Amino acid sequence: MRTSTLGGTGVRVTELSFGAAAIGNLFRPVTDEAAYDTVEAAWEAGVRTFDTAPHYGLGLSERRLGAALRGRDRDTYTVSTKVGRLLEPEAEGGLGDDLVQGFAVPATHHRVWDFSADGVLRSLEASLDRLGLDRVDIALLHDPDHHAEQALTEAYPALERLRAEGVVKAIGIGVNQCALPARFLRETDIDVVLLAGRYTLLEQEGLAEVLPEAAARGRSIIVGGVFNSGLLTDPRPGATYDYAPAPAHVLDRALRMKAVTERHGVPLRAAALRFPLGHPAVASVLSGARSAEEVRDTVDQLRRTVPAELWDELRAEGLLPPHVPVPAARPEWSR
């Protein structure tokens, strides 16, 4: 599988990254065995970049990912985790579940927003313990939307020091909006932006500022949320977009895209996976999975040839702006 280097860091990422939220019981339970098999399937497919966070299942994602990677040569893979939410134990172990936050796990802990320098250190230390690793390669500020000033003035300098000391190799921000990462690209020396849902086949808000800023400054983008919460896997009434039912006009646009891709013999999800890699700033596409079968399907879709005529027809139908870059017809790593 093709790899790229994040900015000037030396950190290598595979063209497809594994998103570990689902193995943290996102929305519904996954067994330990299924979680292990999911990571194993990604490894067998050549994926060597794995993204997790304390937020995912109150640490369950980190624990399961670490267990699945244990025993492998640490220099052969890249791990990304996040800071900004500390996990604090609930009194008497907690009651109920964490589904209000999206995870089918017991509510043994609660999250505390903390973008202080001390919070960064405490978060990374706890993550390393859960992962069972002596280091992570990438540390990202996680959703600092409502904590921008503290993230800029306290958390970012702490990450910068950790990078200078070699504790982490790359630093950045992970968000699902564009204004804040554009500001970080302008005002800081971050290496990477994990941008979720804002540079997809369906919408290209990130092309206005974030991706050009990254390209101009030699920084990298990892694109997550390429299916816009599932809409681009199976557009139909009731499908979700940005974690809510898709508005009628958005659903109609997705259905029109599906009709075009299928006329060219390409599933919509295959075109959605390939699309972000057409931009030179995009180093990797991040996709989650909760089973080995989902991993294998994702890899199969990403390996498909997407003909240039498909992109041309999307443009002709007014479904893709003419200035948006598109990927080569045949992915390099399938040759």
Side-chain angles (χ1 to χ4, degrees):
M1 187 177 296
R2 187 175 72 89
T3 62
S4 299
T5 302
L6 295 182
T9 65
V11 175
R12 303 292 293 178
V13 295
T14 42
E15 191 169 42
L16 178 65
S17 295
F18 178 86
I23 65 168
N25 288 8
L26 180 65
F27 303 134
R28 61 183 188 272
V30 174
T31 66
D32 289 342
E33 181 181 16
Y36 181 91
D37 290 346
T38 303
V39 178
E40 180 71 14
W43 187 275
E44 290 176 355
V47 175
R48 295 293 183 270
T49 306
F50 303 88
D51 176 76
T52 184
H55 171 56
Y56 303 155
L58 294 172
L60 180 63
S61 171
E62 290 182 318
R63 290 192 295 273
R64 283 176 163 172
L65 180 61
L69 294 174
R70 201 153 296 141
R72 304 188 189 276
D73 183 347
R74 183 62 188 88
D75 293 330
T76 62
Y77 61 89
T78 296
V79 172
S80 168
T81 195
K82 305 180 183 76
V83 300
R85 292 174 174 92
L86 295 176
L87 304 181
E88 300 291 347
E90 291 284 4
E92 301 178 1
L95 298 173
D97 57 44
D98 191 54
L99 280 171
V100 69
Q101 297 288 339
F103 294 92
V105 297
T108 56
H109 293 70
H110 63 274
R111 300 164 181 82
V112 177
W113 290 103
D114 192 335
F115 288 95
S116 68
D118 180 66
V120 166
L121 299 178
R122 290 173 57 198
S123 182
L124 282 176
E125 183 178 6
S127 288
L128 290 173
D129 184 61
R130 287 187 291 266
L131 285 161
L133 298 175
D134 61 356
R135 71 181 190 275
V136 294
D137 305 285
I138 307 167
L140 301 172
L141 301 167
H142 198 188
D143 296 333
D145 306 53
H146 303 295
H147 309 271
E149 296 310 315
Q150 189 182 38
L152 275 163
T153 61
E154 299 181 39
Y156 167 73
L159 287 181
E160 193 176 49
R161 286 192 296 272
L162 291 173
R163 182 180 61 185
E165 294 165 1
V167 177
V168 297
K169 297 178 182 178
I171 60 176
I173 182 173
V175 288
N176 57 11
Q177 54 127 312
C178 291
L180 195 54
R183 181 179 176 188
F184 268 84
L185 285 165
R186 290 192 303 269
E187 298 181 16
T188 75
D189 190 32
I190 59 170
D191 305 297
V192 58
V193 172
L194 171 51
L195 185 65
R198 304 285 79 85
Y199 189 65
T200 71
L201 186 61
L202 191 65
E203 60 172 285
Q204 298 87 44
E205 182 185 348
L207 197 58
E209 191 171 11
V210 178
L211 274 71
E213 284 283 355
R217 297 170 187 274
R219 319 289 172 76
S220 297
I221 304 291
I222 297 173
V223 174
V226 295
F227 301 125
N228 287 113
S229 304
L231 181 61
L232 293 184
T233 57
D234 183 18
R236 53 182 170 74
T240 55
Y241 165 78
D242 275 357
Y243 307 103
H249 71 282
V250 175
L251 175 59
D252 177 70
R253 184 178 181 84
L255 286 169
R256 291 172 61 202
M257 286 182 161
K258 180 181 179 182
V260 171
T261 66
E262 291 186 346
R263 279 198 289 272
H264 293 271
V266 177
L268 178 61
R269 65 188 188 281
L273 275 165
R274 289 294 311 162
F275 167 75
L277 294 165
H279 195 284
V282 176
S284 182
V285 169
L286 177 75
S287 184
R290 64 179 65 248
S291 70
E293 292 75 17
E294 287 186 6
V295 169
R296 287 189 281 268
D297 177 71
T298 298
V299 172
D300 288 345
Q301 299 308 318
L302 193 57
R303 283 176 170 158
R304 282 180 176 266
T305 297
V306 181
E309 293 79 11
L310 182 153
W311 309 117
D312 292 341
E313 186 173 347
L314 286 173
R315 286 173 169 149
E317 293 286 330
L319 296 170
L320 192 65
H323 68 285
V324 173
V326 295
R330 187 169 176 81
E332 292 181 19
W333 58 287
S334 70
R335 292 174 182 168

